[in-house]
Amino acid sequence: MSPLDRKLFRDLWRIKGQAIAIVLVIATGVMLQVMMSGLVASLTETRRAYYERNNLAEVFAPVVRAPDAVLARLADIPGVARVTGRAVGRALIDIPGDPVPVQSQAVGLPDSGAQVLSTVYLVSGRLPAERHRDEALLLSGFAAAHGYGIGDSIDVTMNGLRRSVRIVGLAQSPEFLFVAAPGEMVPDPARYGVLWMRRSALAAALDMEGAFNEALFSITRGASEAAVIDAVDRVLKPWGGTGAYGRSDLVSDRFVTEEIDGLATMSRAVPPLFIAVAAFLLYIVVSRIVQSEREEIGLLKAFGYTNREVGAHYVKLVLLIAGAGAALGCLLGVLAGRAMIPVYTTFYNFPFLVFRPDPTAFVIGVSASIAAASAGSVFVLRRIVALTPSEAMRPAAPADYSKTVTFAGPVGRHLDQPTRIVLRGLVRSPWRAMALSAGIAGGMALASGMTTIYGSFDRMMDTSFSVIDRSDATVFFHSPLSDKAAFELARIPGVIAVEPFREVAATLKFGRREHRGSVSGMIADPEMTRAIDDGYAAIPLPVRGLVLGEALAEILAVAPGDMLTIEVSEGSQPVLEVPVTRLASTLIGAPAYMQMAALNKVMSQPGRISGAHLRVDEARADEIYRRLKDMPSVAGVSVSENARASLQKLMDQGAGSARYIMGAVAFIITFGIVYNAARIAQNERARDLASLRVIGFSKGETAFVLLGELAIITLVALPVGSLAGYALTFAIARGFSSELYQIPAYFDPFSHGFSAAFIVVAAVVSGLIVERDLNRMDLVTVLKSRD
């Protein structure tokens, strides 16, 4: 080993504390890069392979009821490669011991032969026998949530008739990666199931013999999906077609795509922040080493070492630290990615999902770390090259502080000597103090921003289920009924209040933008489910006009006063031109509100309701839900308490769990900055501090001189970091928000206070570590060193 290499390892051991802190910061950035990029690659590739192997349809066309003979016309449409018709319908599963009817979807399988499109993936068991109408497949996630196995029987209500079916197999499908009950936006395997039965058995239950109510299509390569959809709609319109749509509008695919896009955005935006901070810290550390080793550099050059060899020595120091951080980050990224896989298999029904690190992420993470660290070392190398041996072996010329503040006037007389030393140190090195303060403020901003997001998730939950939706349960009907059904619900013992609503499937368009969703019709003065503004005040619904949720307004790029085109997909399928009157602050979903009477009028269906919100006596809730379970017209019941629990689980374990990771790394980077600031201050002023001890300063006074400057820098950084954190909260909230839920951004005093307390604790701990080393300092050795 060469003498320079031995010196390199001695230097690393001497600055091991700072090196470890920088390694952890770099490792955190690379870990996030590898983990998030790997999850994006794994989810994308698994979804693609799953879709291809199981022939997921590319176009879906729901219809009220069309004869099988229409399939031939659909197959003749240019661009259609394959087409199949099937029967689908809602079903209620009676779970023993659970008073709430569990919603599910029943899907028809061909009576003979293999499925053509959207093939089920058989996890275990077998397909239903062709002649046995009481056999079915059950979604494996639902079966696991309730402990069902092959051979068990379940009671199912379809089209108002109850029957018992036997489970002969557990299955999954690319069509149901994301499963949520109608009226709910959160996946919960225990609250929504899928049944697959032979078509003849299901058709008999749904009155679909010789007919279908959904057509599935695959299209030829190069064919226009939009043209195929238009042609399909024209063919199915006489039979009650409700509007064909592509795979990208499939609810399951849309939410999985949104999750992948969110991870991809975070993988591009977050890791560079940590790598930049690490590069800044490395630059400061190496600069300090070069400054303190000025004499050694001169000696090395005098003994014949070239500028390249001396410069390479310090570059190696930088590369070793950066390389160690990148290597550790790659390892942690793989481990973290594998740990996240169970989260996604819990909420998305993939039959297989293996974390496959993206090789590009390793290359980018390692390259970015080394490149960022090397960029800072370039400035250090310039100083090394500029030093000649004769100049380097002389002490550097003392800095000229004649024009700085001396604190010798009236103000200075009220300050003791240690305080004046601290203040003089700040005014004599303002740029260094500002740089360290900016670094601490950045950590404070990230910590306060992420801590505020914790509270934002909770506020979103409280607002959604206590302010916007104040009902206890929501009842859905199979089809729109007369408003007399609301009076029937009100007569159930224990029902305190009933608030009917009308839900109409529609496509909302503005310019070239469109959104496939629904229009919610509410009574003129709703009490249980309301549209609210940013101040949580109820928005009165106009007689003519539409109130849009802010998320939907952003999707369509509309503002109050714009005219929106609504293509209704039910009944007579009218096309409406409706003005947008207000925007509502909605935190779950992307709703559009109208007065129910106005919506029914344009539908030419006065007095119709799709369901009702209920407020119930908690003591009689189970009795009420059992009563609803036995009503033939009831398609499902959503209990607010269950929906809230599902969303909370998603926030804690699903996509929202990333907030905990981000919060942890925010605190890591903050501690790394504060610790390095304290350690650098100690190294820079070691000789001065030793001199103070020799002339009579106590250990406490000497520590005050060292740590007082850090304390002022930290205290100045807190309000700056708080302001930056407030601004960052909006960016983070926007990044976490999706069509599923929107995270509110606001100023949370507790979050900022908690983050400030952490910064102070980090500064105190760093100070205690440095003070311990300061008390162990060998005064003679330090004083023998030359500046």
Side-chain angles (χ1 to χ4, degrees):
M1 184 180 293
S2 69
L4 283 181
D5 288 339
R6 286 197 295 270
K7 178 181 179 300
L8 172 64
F9 287 105
R10 285 197 304 269
D11 290 342
L12 276 174
W13 179 253
R14 181 163 49 87
I15 63 168
K16 56 182 178 297
Q18 294 167 267
I20 290 173
I22 296 172
V23 163
L24 290 177
V25 174
I26 294 176
T28 300
V30 176
M31 178 196 72
L32 292 174
Q33 175 76 41
V34 172
M35 180 191 72
M36 293 177 180
S37 298
L39 288 173
V40 169
S42 300
L43 290 170
T44 302
E45 178 58 26
T46 301
R47 180 182 61 170
R48 183 200 61 77
Y50 193 23
Y51 284 2
E52 288 183 359
R53 293 176 188 176
N54 293 75
N55 300 315
L56 179 64
E58 295 173 271
V59 174
F60 300 79
V63 63
V64 175
R65 191 179 192 279
D68 290 340
V70 177
L71 292 173
R73 293 178 56 193
L74 294 174
D76 291 336
I77 293 175
V80 171
R82 288 179 293 181
V83 60
T84 183
R86 67 181 184 181
V88 297
R90 288 186 176 185
L92 292 180
I93 299 178
D94 187 1
I95 305 295
D98 189 349
V100 181
V102 177
Q103 301 181 69
S104 66
Q105 183 169 355
V107 182
L109 298 171
D111 283 332
S112 60
Q115 286 181 277
V116 177
L117 296 171
S118 296
T119 308
V120 297
Y121 176 86
L122 198 60
V123 176
S124 61
R126 60 173 175 82
L127 293 173
E130 297 179 9
R131 293 183 298 276
H132 291 181
R133 295 192 171 189
D134 63 340
E135 294 184 348
L137 302 178
L138 185 63
L139 186 67
S140 59
F142 180 85
H146 292 282
Y148 286 124
I150 297 173
D152 292 338
S153 295
I154 55 176
D155 292 330
V156 180
T157 302
M158 290 184 290
N159 205 21
L161 299 176
R162 175 171 292 190
R163 61 187 300 179
S164 179
V165 297
R166 187 164 61 91
I167 302 170
V168 296
L170 304 179
Q172 294 178 339
S173 169
E175 191 177 348
F176 299 104
L177 290 178
F178 177 97
V179 178
E184 299 182 11
M185 298 291 289
V186 181
D188 185 348
R191 302 307 308 164
Y192 192 73
V194 181
L195 290 164
W196 288 269
M197 301 174 65
R198 289 297 180 182
R199 181 176 178 180
S200 57
L202 189 58
L206 301 177
D207 191 23
M208 285 288 166
E209 292 93 340
F212 64 92
N213 59 2
E214 186 175 39
L216 308 180
F217 300 82
S218 64
I219 59 179
T220 57
R221 186 182 301 272
S224 170
E225 182 183 280
V228 170
I229 289 175
D230 289 341
V232 169
D233 285 341
R234 288 194 296 271
V235 173
L236 293 181
K237 187 173 182 179
W239 310 100
T242 56
Y245 56 91
R247 183 187 292 172
S248 60
D249 285 324
L250 183 67
V251 172
S252 172
D253 183 77
R254 190 165 63 190
F255 282 113
V256 175
T257 299
E258 199 165 88
E259 177 68 23
I260 293 174
D261 291 344
L263 283 172
T265 300
M266 291 176 63
S267 69
R268 291 190 297 268
V270 176
L273 173 65
F274 293 88
I275 294 173
V277 170
F280 168 71
L281 294 176
L282 265 176
Y283 168 73
I284 295 178
V285 170
V286 177
S287 294
R288 169 56 194 160
I289 292 175
V290 170
Q291 181 180 348
S292 64
E293 295 183 351
R294 178 187 177 93
E295 180 180 355
E296 285 86 344
I297 292 173
L299 285 171
L300 289 171
K301 289 187 176 183
F303 278 106
Y305 286 96
T306 65
N307 285 327
R308 176 178 296 180
E309 290 172 323
V310 176
H313 165 71
Y314 291 99
V315 170
K316 285 181 183 179
L317 178 66
V318 172
L319 295 182
L320 274 175
I321 295 175
L328 179 60
C330 290
L331 175 62
L332 293 177
V334 173
L335 296 177
R338 290 178 177 174
M340 287 292 290
I341 288 299
V343 172
Y344 288 96
T345 54
T346 298
F347 291 95
Y348 299 101
N349 292 285
F350 285 105
F352 51 88
L353 183 59
V354 179
F355 181 74
R356 295 183 176 89
D358 184 4
T360 306
F362 289 109
V363 174
I364 293 175
V366 173
S367 301
S369 301
I370 294 176
S374 301
S377 65
V378 169
F379 297 98
V380 178
L381 287 176
R382 292 175 57 187
R383 294 165 56 182
I384 294 173
V385 172
L387 284 173
T388 61
S390 59
E391 180 187 356
M393 294 175 68
R394 292 196 308 266
D400 181 9
Y401 296 126
S402 61
K403 296 181 181 180
T404 61
V405 180
T406 61
F407 298 100
V411 175
R413 286 197 294 268
H414 292 84
L415 302 175
D416 58 18
Q417 188 62 35
T419 304
R420 288 200 296 272
I421 294 175
V422 169
L423 296 178
R424 278 200 300 268
L426 289 172
V427 298
R428 288 176 177 179
S429 303
W431 294 110
R432 182 193 64 182
M434 290 174 61
L436 292 176
S437 185
I440 296 173
M444 167 71 181
L446 191 55
S448 61
M450 288 308 307
T451 308
T452 300
I453 290 299
Y454 294 171
S456 295
F457 274 79
D458 295 333
R459 174 174 285 200
M460 181 266 289
M461 298 277 292
D462 291 337
T463 302
S464 299
F465 292 97
S466 301
V467 179
I468 296 176
D469 184 357
R470 302 187 294 183
S471 64
D472 296 322
T474 302
V475 178
F476 302 94
F477 300 136
H478 284 287
S479 58
L481 302 178
S482 167
D483 52 13
K484 294 180 180 178
F487 296 104
E488 295 294 329
L489 294 174
R491 282 200 286 265
I492 297 177
V495 173
I496 299 172
V498 177
E499 190 172 279
F501 65 88
R502 178 73 193 273
E503 198 80 17
V504 174
T507 300
L508 291 80
K509 296 183 177 181
F510 182 74
R512 294 187 176 183
R513 299 196 178 201
E514 63 178 54
H515 175 76
R516 184 181 176 85
S518 63
V519 177
S520 301
M522 301 191 296
I523 61 176
D525 190 19
E527 289 292 333
M528 296 191 206
T529 300
R530 310 173 300 162
I532 63 171
D533 58 22
D534 292 336
Y536 297 163
I539 298 176
L541 297 180
V543 176
R544 183 180 182 275
L546 200 65
V547 175
L548 288 188
E550 291 175 347
L552 182 54
E554 184 175 348
I555 293 172
L556 297 174
V558 300
D562 292 333
M563 294 296 293
L564 202 63
T565 301
I566 302 177
E567 296 180 355
V568 178
S569 303
E570 299 180 10
S572 59
Q573 300 184 1
V575 177
L576 313 176
E577 295 289 334
V578 182
V580 177
T581 60
R582 292 279 298 273
L583 299 184
S585 177
T586 52
L587 302 179
I588 296 181
Y593 303 108
M594 283 184 70
Q595 274 201 28
M596 185 170 63
L599 181 58
N600 280 331
K601 182 177 181 181
V602 298
M603 291 288 297
S604 300
Q605 295 177 337
R608 292 285 174 173
I609 61 174
S610 302
H613 304 291
L614 306 182
R615 191 171 294 151
V616 303
D617 182 355
E618 185 177 352
R620 308 189 69 172
D622 289 354
E623 178 185 341
I624 294 169
Y625 299 145
R626 290 191 185 94
R627 180 85 172 264
L628 293 172
K629 186 188 297 188
D630 295 330
M631 291 185 173
S633 59
V634 172
V637 177
S638 174
V639 180
S640 296
E641 183 180 356
N642 294 338
R644 179 168 187 159
S646 299
L647 184 57
Q648 185 67 61
K649 186 177 180 181
L650 176 65
M651 296 298 98
D652 293 337
Q653 301 178 14
S657 62
R659 59 190 173 130
Y660 297 113
I661 299 174
M662 292 300 299
V665 297
F667 289 135
I668 290 174
I669 193 174
T670 302
F671 184 83
I673 292 171
V674 174
Y675 176 77
N676 270 278
R679 184 62 72 183
I680 290 167
Q682 179 197 10
N683 292 338
E684 287 183 342
R685 309 186 68 178
R687 195 167 188 275
D688 294 340
L689 296 172
S691 300
L692 292 176
R693 289 286 310 282
V694 169
I695 65 177
F697 277 61
S698 66
K699 290 183 178 180
E701 290 173 326
T702 306
F704 176 81
V705 170
L706 172 64
L707 301 179
E709 183 175 333
L710 175 63
I712 294 175
I713 290 174
T714 302
L715 292 176
V716 169
L718 294 181
V720 177
S722 182
L723 289 174
Y726 175 64
L728 186 62
T729 300
F730 288 86
I732 298 174
R734 185 177 182 86
F736 276 117
S737 297
S738 65
E739 188 179 329
L740 174 61
Y741 52 79
Q742 297 84 50
I743 305 303
Y746 64 104
F747 180 81
D748 181 14
F750 172 81
S751 298
H752 288 255
F754 177 81
S755 301
F758 180 86
I759 300 294
V760 172
V761 170
V764 170
V765 172
S766 301
L768 291 175
I769 295 174
V770 172
E771 183 185 15
R772 181 198 62 182
D773 294 343
L774 184 64
N775 293 334
R776 297 175 179 176
M777 181 172 58
D778 186 344
L779 301 181
V780 175
T781 302
V782 173
L783 289 173
K784 284 182 178 179
S785 65
R786 296 175 59 189
D787 285 339

